[in-house]
Amino acid sequence: MEDTEIQLSNGKHTPPKDFVCPITTLIFNDPVTLETGQTYERKAIQEWIDRGNYTCPITHQKLHNLQLPKTNYVLKRLIASWKELTPCNDQFEYQETNYVNVPQSVSEYSPNNVINELRLVITDLCTSQVLKKAELAVLKIERFWQEAKMEAEIQSLLSKPPVVNGFVEILFNSVETRVLKATVFLLCEVGSRDSDVISTLTRVYSDVECIISLFKNGLFEAVVLIYLLRPSISTFLQMDMVNKLLTVVQKRDDEFLKMFMNPKAASVILLAQIIENDDDNGASLEVIKSIISGKAIICIIQCLELESAEERIAAMKILLRCIQEDGKCRNVIADKAELAPVLECFLEVNDQEQFEIVQFLSELVKLNRRTFNNQILHIIKDEGTYSTMHTLLTHLQTAHTDQSPIIAGLLLQLDLLVEPRKMSIYREEAIDNLISCLNNSDSPSAQLAAADTLLALQGRFSYSGKPLVRKFLLKRAGIDKNYRSSMRSGDDQETMEEEKAAQEWEKKMAYVLVNHEAGLIFEALAEGLKSRHAEICLGCFVSATWLLNMLTHLPETGVQEIARACLLKRFVSIFKSAKDTEDKTISMLALSSFIHDSDGLRDITIYKKDISKGLREFKKSSTVAFEMLKVFSEGSESSIELWNHRELAQEDCSINGIVLSIVCHKNKIFSGHSDGTIKVWTGKNTGKGKDNVLRLTQEIREHTKAVTSLTVLQSGDTLYSGSHDKTIRVWSINKEDVYCEEVYDMKEHVNNLLVANSIACFIPQGNGIKVNSWSGESKLLNPSKVVKCLTLVNGRLYCGCLDNSIQDIDLASGTLTSVQSGSRKLLAKGNRVNVLQVHDGLIYAASSSMEGSAFKIWNASTYDLVYSMSLTSEVRTMAVSSEFIYFGCKPGIVEVWCRNKLVKKETLQIGTNCKVMCMALDENEDILVIGTSDGKVQVWGVS
């Protein structure tokens, strides 16, 4: 109590320093002493901690225990004793609402008085041990700054290190929001004008931490000061500032103090720096996802209209990264963004930022709506205070090599907004640049950028901005059925308008590209196809196909010859060697462009034997393949020109008797023999020798008598076998082996077994056709006929009979329709129907006759006779492909007939003393497997 006694003896009533809280500057009411040894008013220090400050206000030491201790009763009793001895101490009592009012005006001060008064106030700020007095000094300084109109003079006083340190002490110790905001405001204002102030602030790392902590705890104006301090990106990430920055971006401007920089603008710049400078890319990715998933992206779009170029460019960089991360957001950006402010700052920024603007604009015009794309291009071209095209041209001429294709692509698109002119410096420079980059094998990055730019120039994009040229080409070739699903759906009228606009754009773009320097683009694309980099090759491959295909839709350009010289041989090679179905299809479409003029047809005919086999693979699915084969076939008289049948393998199975049945499934061949054996062979046509084509992998002996029928449902891996042992067996086909799953006792011989889902149809030993369900039900159809052959297609059973009649039985209704009436002759046996097939809506039937065989074709829908002819050999079996009809004949031969022209192409010699008993084609129709009466299994390749 020594201090108290001295003060009383001097007649003063000021309380001892130890009785006063350093935060409130008032006598303690509920003192608590922290682990650092400093004592504070409980409510004041609790508020300090609640604001996110975890250090002691006086010592700045970190508080390890944030739970406040019990009241310091010793000190509280001393204070109580002092109060009893000291009159009139009410003004020192703790009051939560007590705060000194700040003068509302400084108009009564003269300039000299302002400086003098300000010096006194600054002294209070820097030297006062009473927090309240220092806080009041801050508010007075702010008032002088706002009203005295003497910024230069005040600036010189406030920029001194002691004053800056005084402001920092306030930031560490004050809990008053108004004071903290005023302090941050003053530091921002003087710091923006004097870099020495920022140097003073950054000299002590804890000062920066304090400012960031205040920002994170809701003092959003502090973000401007953080922007001035420019802490490292790692500091931002370590202190988890991103969410708070996004919060500021989404606030209204009127929620902040009016400062030299808007806190929202500072936040956008800092976010851009985090995104741009994040080395591991993880944090920036999280920022981008947060922006896209929330409402922040709309606020960022609005920031494109901020005051300074730095602020607009920062917003643009963020939006560019958003598009690159999730292309779907470009639609919102294109719809909401004002592009004029971005265009206007083009000349104010450095080269790299100019290129980023070009990237941003180029990405914006990758929309799935062509009409909207054209609108955006017009805005880019026409808005702004200077010529966008001239500026881009100048930028293109000085840009880095791997950046120039993107600039050239945008410039070319802007040039094509009007009808292509005979001469345009913009177009010439742009296309020259693209060709130069494609030819630049020393710079793969430039080649790739040029290849990607060409893909985008076609002008069709998915909703996420991916070029659709590849899908579009597959659709044009008749393969890709999902092209339309990649486009944004709309009503029919809108779809028609969009497609019309897309076609017009595609034609204009292709026209100027192929006509530039008499087709020089094809030489460049051929050069790109030689690249060792797969991405460059792929881009040039698709672009070359697009431009070749467009030659067939454009007016005569005179560049077909150079296109053929550069690309024909290369595309033949790709078509022959491509493993990927899509690549093969696209190369086929490119080759089809060469058959539309006489010179092109002459040149491609040299390779027609090399490509015909591949064309047949697509004939069913692609009209392009069908048309090419049709063109190649016109005028051909020799089967050797287009087709070749050669024996690949032969196995002697005579020890097992006659080969009665045969079937192909995937890369396996199954043969059924008269001794009841089923053999399983690998049957892949690898072209690497006979051992690879036909290799026995399994021999099954579960049937006790002849296996007359084998059939596989193409929808599954199940084999069905019918036998004279009166059973049907069901086999499961695995990669390794085949094993029996079920055995059904039919109680009759099983011939010509056919299976469809839940039923099995076969010819018994007597009359009619047996139809059995797997549940055991059985019925006899057509009992008045002796049936010789069957085929089952789409629930309709076609049967050929001993009396030369042919019936069509609807299994669902039981309705029987006569396709061909039977013979009433006593020697009707001589005219029996031996074999029957249904293919592509036609019924093919061969009957025995006195001269050999009668072959007829009917329409399966109307039963009208389409064609009839006589064959000199008796036909015992038949196989029908998309190209050929194969007749297996009695004297050991197979006649090969063209299915469309119905003329014989060639004869395959199978044996000398045998009959062809059964035949089968694989799914691709490039392997014909034959079984004979002398026990041979033969494999023939069709190429």
Side-chain angles (χ1 to χ4, degrees):
M1 294 296 293
E2 231 175 79
D3 291 340
T4 304
E5 290 171 359
I6 292 171
Q7 289 171 347
L8 288 175
S9 64
N10 291 332
K12 295 181 179 179
H13 305 301
T14 303
K17 185 179 178 180
D18 292 341
F19 290 2
V20 176
C21 174
I23 296 178
T24 65
T25 68
L26 298 172
I27 295 174
F28 286 118
N29 180 53
D30 186 3
V32 291
T33 302
L34 303 185
E35 61 197 62
T36 60
Q38 299 297 319
T39 304
Y40 301 95
E41 180 64 40
R42 181 182 293 277
K43 289 187 178 180
I45 191 61
Q46 185 64 58
E47 184 177 349
W48 167 267
I49 293 172
D50 291 344
R51 290 176 63 84
N53 300 299
Y54 306 137
T55 58
C56 175
I58 297 298
T59 67
H60 298 168
Q61 294 177 7
K62 186 175 181 180
L63 298 174
H64 297 288
N65 186 4
L66 299 179
Q67 189 71 31
L68 294 181
K70 294 180 179 180
T71 301
N72 187 336
Y73 288 107
V74 174
L75 180 58
K76 191 167 183 177
R77 283 196 294 272
L78 288 173
I79 292 171
S81 300
W82 178 81
K83 284 181 179 179
E84 291 175 1
L85 299 173
T86 307
C88 302
N89 53 48
D90 292 345
Q91 68 269 31
F92 302 110
E93 293 292 342
Y94 176 76
Q95 298 175 15
E96 291 183 54
T97 58
N98 181 37
Y99 206 89
V100 181
N101 290 326
V102 181
Q104 295 301 306
S105 175
V106 294
S107 58
E108 65 270 18
Y109 293 107
S110 67
N112 287 335
N113 288 338
V114 167
I115 297 301
N116 291 333
E117 181 66 23
L118 190 58
R119 290 181 190 279
L120 294 174
V121 174
I122 290 173
T123 300
D124 288 343
L125 170 67
C126 297
T127 62
S128 177
Q129 296 297 312
V130 179
L131 179 60
K132 212 57 148 178
K133 193 172 184 180
E135 289 176 329
L136 180 59
V138 170
L139 297 178
K140 285 182 179 181
I141 293 169
E142 181 200 24
R143 183 64 63 192
F144 279 116
W145 181 276
Q146 297 279 16
E147 298 183 8
K149 309 299 182 186
M150 297 174 64
E151 288 184 4
E153 293 84 350
I154 299 174
Q155 169 83 27
S156 65
L157 293 174
L158 299 184
S159 298
K160 294 179 173 56
V163 182
V164 175
N165 290 331
F167 284 133
V168 172
E169 286 296 318
I170 292 295
L171 294 179
F172 269 109
N173 296 308
S174 180
V175 294
E176 292 292 340
T177 301
R178 183 182 172 192
V179 173
L180 292 171
K181 281 190 175 185
T183 306
V184 166
F185 167 78
L186 290 168
L187 285 172
C188 289
E189 296 300 312
V190 297
S192 65
R193 294 165 172 81
D194 188 343
S195 59
D196 289 341
V197 173
I198 303 304
S199 298
T200 302
L201 288 171
T202 54
R203 196 167 294 137
V204 181
Y205 182 70
S206 59
D207 293 351
V208 179
E209 282 189 320
C210 173
I211 295 166
I212 293 176
S213 179
L214 288 170
F215 167 68
K216 288 178 61 180
N217 285 288
L219 189 65
F220 292 138
E221 284 81 0
V223 73
V224 179
L225 188 54
I226 296 170
Y227 160 77
L228 292 172
L229 296 173
R230 300 192 182 279
S232 65
I233 298 303
S234 60
T235 300
F236 287 128
L237 301 179
Q238 288 169 9
M239 301 196 71
D240 193 23
M241 287 181 58
V242 171
N243 289 334
K244 287 298 180 183
L245 291 172
L246 290 174
T247 300
V248 175
V249 168
Q250 296 178 73
K251 286 189 172 292
R252 301 190 315 274
D253 290 345
D254 59 8
E255 295 183 59
F256 306 112
L257 287 177
K258 189 174 181 181
M259 307 170 69
F260 87 94
M261 173 181 275
N262 190 312
K264 183 182 293 189
S267 296
V268 169
I269 293 172
L270 293 176
L271 282 170
Q273 290 175 2
I274 293 172
I275 291 170
E276 192 173 16
N277 298 306
D278 176 31
D279 293 333
D280 64 6
N281 203 40
S284 64
L285 187 59
E286 290 303 315
V287 175
I288 294 300
K289 288 181 178 179
S290 298
I291 292 172
I292 295 172
S293 62
K295 297 179 181 179
I297 192 166
I298 299 297
C299 300
I300 300 291
I301 293 171
Q302 294 168 350
C303 291
L304 291 174
E305 303 176 56
L306 288 171
E307 187 174 348
S308 75
E310 182 186 17
E311 296 161 2
R312 298 177 201 170
I313 293 300
M316 181 274 297
K317 288 180 178 180
I318 295 172
L319 294 175
L320 176 59
R321 280 298 309 277
C322 288
I323 292 173
Q324 291 169 341
E325 182 61 34
D326 183 355
K328 295 177 183 177
C329 71
R330 88 183 67 230
N331 298 276
V332 176
I333 297 169
D335 187 48
K336 303 291 185 184
E338 287 291 333
L339 299 181
V342 179
L343 292 168
E344 287 170 2
C345 66
F346 194 90
L347 297 179
E348 302 177 39
V349 299
N350 60 41
D351 291 345
Q352 178 58 32
E353 289 173 339
Q354 286 181 342
F355 175 64
E356 288 172 336
I357 292 175
V358 174
Q359 275 188 303
F360 175 63
L361 298 175
S362 298
E363 289 295 336
L364 277 192
V365 293
K366 294 179 181 178
L367 300 166
N368 67 320
R369 292 158 53 195
R370 186 66 246 171
T371 53
F372 194 16
N373 267 349
N374 291 344
Q375 292 173 24
I376 299 295
L377 284 169
H378 274 292
I379 291 171
I380 296 170
K381 182 174 182 288
D382 299 330
E383 291 197 8
T385 56
Y386 49 84
S387 170
T388 302
M389 293 181 67
H390 180 74
T391 303
L392 288 175
L393 179 60
T394 303
H395 186 44
L396 175 63
Q397 292 169 341
T398 59
H400 195 273
T401 306
D402 58 1
Q403 295 179 350
S404 60
I406 297 174
I407 306 168
L410 181 59
L411 184 60
L412 182 57
Q413 291 180 77
L414 296 175
D415 184 71
L416 286 191
L417 288 175
V418 295
E419 280 299 318
R421 295 156 286 179
K422 290 185 179 179
M423 183 63 185
S424 165
I425 185 63
Y426 304 114
R427 183 172 71 243
E428 299 295 319
E429 284 281 342
I431 301 178
D432 275 341
N433 183 275
L434 289 173
I435 290 174
S436 175
C437 289
L438 283 175
N439 284 321
N440 190 357
S441 57
D442 293 333
S443 177
S445 59
Q447 280 187 299
L448 181 59
D452 288 344
T453 299
L454 278 177
L455 293 176
L457 290 178
Q458 192 254 0
R460 298 172 190 264
F461 303 95
S462 68
Y463 189 67
S464 61
K466 300 294 184 184
L468 285 177
V469 57
R470 184 180 177 90
K471 284 183 174 291
F472 181 74
L473 292 174
L474 290 170
K475 173 182 176 289
R476 190 166 276 180
I479 299 297
D480 193 337
K481 309 300 183 185
N482 299 319
Y483 166 75
R484 187 170 295 277
S485 66
S486 302
M487 306 291 285
R488 191 175 186 178
S489 58
D491 57 42
D492 292 341
Q493 184 63 32
E494 181 184 355
T495 302
M496 289 175 60
E497 291 175 0
E498 288 294 334
E499 185 56 30
K500 182 180 178 182
Q503 289 177 1
E504 289 177 357
W505 176 266
E506 183 183 27
K507 284 185 177 181
K508 284 202 295 186
M509 182 59 73
Y511 185 81
V512 299
L513 288 172
V514 302
N515 276 289
H516 180 77
E517 298 290 341
L520 196 60
I521 188 74
F522 293 112
E523 292 184 16
L525 288 168
E527 186 66 29
L529 283 169
K530 298 175 185 175
S531 174
R532 292 169 295 149
H533 301 274
E535 289 181 331
I536 296 172
C537 284
L538 185 59
C540 291
F541 168 65
V542 175
S543 293
T545 302
W546 168 54
L547 291 177
L548 286 172
N549 182 255
M550 289 305 298
L551 290 178
T552 65
H553 299 276
L554 296 174
E556 177 61 39
T557 58
V559 300
Q560 286 85 349
E561 185 175 353
I562 189 172
R564 289 196 303 274
C566 294
L567 296 171
L568 173 57
K569 190 174 181 179
R570 179 65 177 167
F571 271 98
V572 170
S573 175
I574 294 172
F575 183 69
K576 287 173 60 180
S577 62
K579 302 300 181 185
D580 181 78
T581 301
E582 289 188 358
D583 287 347
K584 204 173 186 71
T585 303
I586 291 171
S587 59
M588 175 186 70
L589 183 65
L591 291 172
S592 72
S593 66
F594 298 120
I595 68 174
H596 294 282
D597 64 271
S598 57
D599 291 338
L601 183 58
R602 178 201 64 216
D603 290 348
I604 198 174
T605 301
I606 300 171
Y607 305 101
K608 67 179 182 179
K609 184 177 178 181
D610 295 324
I611 63 178
S612 293
K613 180 175 185 263
L615 291 176
R616 289 201 308 276
E617 296 176 10
F618 293 104
K619 184 177 179 182
K620 291 183 179 180
S621 58
S622 170
T623 55
V624 171
F626 181 84
E627 290 300 322
M628 290 183 71
L629 283 171
K630 183 178 179 182
V631 170
F632 286 164
S633 299
E634 287 178 0
S636 287
E637 296 182 1
S638 172
S639 62
I640 303 301
E641 286 190 43
L642 288 179
W643 311 102
N644 181 39
H645 293 81
R646 64 188 181 92
E647 186 180 351
L648 299 178
Q650 181 178 155
E651 291 290 338
D652 186 353
C653 304
S654 56
I655 192 172
N656 302 109
I658 302 170
V659 183
L660 295 173
S661 54
I662 206 155
V663 68
C664 300
H665 180 65
K666 297 181 179 177
N667 67 333
K668 285 184 169 60
I669 296 170
F670 305 92
S671 58
H673 302 260
S674 57
D675 69 346
T677 301
I678 297 176
K679 293 179 181 286
V680 184
W681 316 79
T682 56
K684 190 173 182 180
N685 185 3
T686 63
K688 296 180 181 178
K690 294 185 178 183
D691 290 341
N692 293 87
V693 176
L694 194 62
R695 183 168 60 87
L696 183 65
T697 60
Q698 191 176 356
E699 191 169 304
I700 305 168
R701 299 177 180 274
E702 296 194 22
H703 282 294
T704 58
K705 292 186 178 180
V707 179
T708 61
S709 310
L710 292 171
T711 184
V712 177
L713 290 182
Q714 297 302 317
S715 59
D717 291 329
T718 305
L719 172 71
Y720 298 86
S721 60
S723 171
H724 281 176
D725 65 5
K726 301 181 181 180
T727 65
I728 295 175
R729 293 177 182 264
V730 183
W731 309 83
S732 179
I733 306 171
N734 291 332
K735 286 184 178 180
E736 294 78 18
D737 59 4
V738 175
Y739 62 90
C740 185
E741 287 189 326
E742 299 282 348
V743 179
Y744 294 94
D745 185 2
M746 296 293 107
K747 298 182 174 56
E748 296 186 71
H749 288 180
V750 177
N751 297 289
N752 210 161
L753 172 67
L754 301 170
V755 177
N757 298 326
S758 60
I759 62 168
C761 308
F762 63 89
I763 300 171
Q765 193 169 8
N767 288 7
I769 304 163
K770 269 297 186 69
V771 179
N772 284 55
S773 69
W774 301 122
S775 60
E777 298 176 7
S778 177
K779 60 182 176 180
L780 184 68
L781 301 180
N782 209 8
S784 63
K785 299 283 186 177
V786 178
V787 180
K788 298 300 294 180
C789 54
L790 288 177
T791 189
L792 178 63
V793 178
N794 297 329
R796 306 188 76 85
L797 190 62
Y798 300 87
C799 50
C801 304
L802 186 66
D803 64 356
N804 205 35
S805 64
I806 299 173
Q807 283 92 30
D808 171 6
I809 304 172
D810 188 335
L811 291 178
S813 63
T815 306
L816 186 149
T817 306
S818 178
V819 178
Q820 174 177 275
S821 300
S823 171
R824 295 173 179 266
K825 294 179 182 180
L826 293 175
L827 298 176
K829 183 178 180 180
N831 285 332
R832 67 182 181 273
V833 179
N834 285 329
V835 63
L836 194 67
Q837 292 281 342
V838 177
H839 191 280
D840 283 351
L842 296 174
I843 304 169
Y844 299 85
S847 306
S848 296
S849 68
M850 299 300 292
E851 296 79 17
S853 289
F855 176 67
K856 295 181 180 180
I857 304 174
W858 287 269
N859 185 302
S861 300
T862 63
Y863 308 121
D864 293 334
L865 183 64
V866 176
Y867 188 81
S868 177
M869 69 176 182
S870 295
L871 300 173
T872 57
S873 301
E874 182 181 357
V875 177
R876 304 301 298 266
T877 184
M878 180 170 58
V880 183
S881 74
S882 55
E883 296 294 339
F884 301 113
I885 304 170
Y886 297 94
F887 296 110
C889 301
K890 189 172 183 179
I893 62 171
V894 173
E895 292 187 5
V896 184
W897 288 66
C898 176
R899 191 170 72 89
N900 293 326
K901 295 184 178 182
L902 290 172
V903 294
K904 185 165 73 170
K905 289 290 187 182
E906 57 185 309
T907 300
L908 309 181
Q909 187 64 50
I910 306 304
T912 53
N913 283 317
C914 66
K915 300 175 184 176
V916 177
M917 302 300 295
C918 51
M919 291 191 298
L921 286 159
D922 72 338
E923 291 92 334
N924 295 325
E925 300 181 350
D926 58 5
I927 286 182
L928 175 68
V929 188
I930 300 168
T932 65
S933 59
D934 60 354
K936 300 286 196 315
V937 175
Q938 292 186 13
V939 179
W940 290 72
V942 184
S943 61

